[in-house]
Amino acid sequence: MLILAIDTSTSAITVALHDEARVLAQESHLDPRAHTEWVTPLIASCLSAASVTPGDLTAIAVGNGPGPFTGLRVGIVTGLTMGHALGVPVLGICSLDVLAEQSAALTEGELLVATDARRKEVYWARYAVRPGSVQALTSPAVDRPADLPDEVRALPTAGRGPALYPELFAHALPVLDVDAAMLARVAVERTLAGTPMPVEPLYLRRPDALTTAERAAR
């Protein structure tokens, strides 16, 4: 098994290769508005570092988001295009799940993941961390952070929500963006467990860019 993982749902454009036993290569670049420019070079760099070719891949994993429309779409379209060209499956995983997995070693009990949704909002979901498992307690949602219940905002929180709204998220965890190495690991684990992983982009709201007709109809 050789999985290429791609996520462009957060401020990091992140790519990794995993052979089921370990991460072979990973690359990331931090820029919330340059996903298109960076995703292909990062993929090429990972393949080169691991001395593999696209034809060696057996699957591609992409972060389903939620994330801002344009950035999220870059990673998903890239993964789907490569999967179609190579004839390999494309696996979709909620990006908030990955951030929760990245945070599991830092806390126990419940945690919150809150990422930047722009428009003064956050994408968020709650999770339960138990020995050996991380379980989603809610579906991903998008809201103004002040509209979240006090007891939710009081939870240990991963993502850029606490950095953007420190007065509202008091317990920040040092996990800001998706790490494709963890995305790849989750993809391997779910593949071995037989868990379905459809590619279902979680935009959660209308794209920022509207056509002239859409603007006129608003």
Side-chain angles (χ1 to χ4, degrees):
M1 183 186 302
L2 183 61
I3 292 180
L4 172 68
I6 306 167
D7 190 279
T8 57
S9 68
T10 60
S11 296
I13 307 100
T14 180
V15 178
L17 280 167
H18 200 297
D19 69 354
E20 187 178 337
R22 62 191 178 94
V23 175
L24 301 180
Q26 62 186 106
E27 296 280 353
S28 295
H29 180 76
L30 192 63
D31 191 329
R33 299 186 183 275
H35 299 86
T36 302
E37 293 86 344
W38 279 94
V39 68
T40 299
L42 292 180
I43 291 170
S45 180
C46 265
L47 294 172
S48 176
S51 298
V52 301
T53 69
D56 296 320
L57 299 174
T58 59
I60 297 171
V62 297
N64 278 338
F69 182 86
T70 302
L72 178 59
R73 185 173 180 272
V74 168
I76 290 175
V77 169
T78 299
L80 289 173
T81 300
M82 289 186 66
H84 177 74
L86 298 171
V88 299
V90 182
L91 317 171
I93 297 170
C94 175
S95 302
L96 302 186
D97 290 2
V98 180
L99 284 163
E101 292 281 358
Q102 290 172 220
S103 306
L106 303 175
T107 187
E108 60 182 22
E110 290 194 19
L111 68 83
L112 174 69
V113 176
T115 63
D116 184 14
R118 301 178 186 168
R119 302 184 190 178
K120 298 182 179 180
E121 294 178 326
V122 293
Y123 299 116
W124 66 278
R126 291 173 68 175
Y127 293 84
V129 178
R130 302 185 178 92
S133 73
V134 177
Q135 179 184 2
L137 299 177
T138 65
S139 298
V142 59
D143 288 291
R144 290 183 177 271
D147 292 340
L148 273 63
D150 292 345
E151 64 272 18
V152 172
R153 289 190 283 104
L155 294 171
T157 306
R160 290 195 174 268
L164 293 168
Y165 309 100
E167 73 282 4
L168 296 174
F169 298 103
H171 191 167
L173 296 174
V175 175
L176 297 178
D177 298 298
V178 171
D179 182 348
M182 180 61 76
L183 171 61
R185 197 187 87 180
V186 173
V188 168
E189 292 174 351
R190 293 185 182 183
T191 296
L192 295 176
T195 304
M197 290 177 278
V199 178
E200 297 176 344
L202 298 170
Y203 297 123
L204 300 189
R205 66 185 183 202
R206 296 167 63 84
D208 292 331
L210 302 177
T211 67
T212 301
E214 288 174 325
R215 291 193 189 96
R218 294 186 71 181

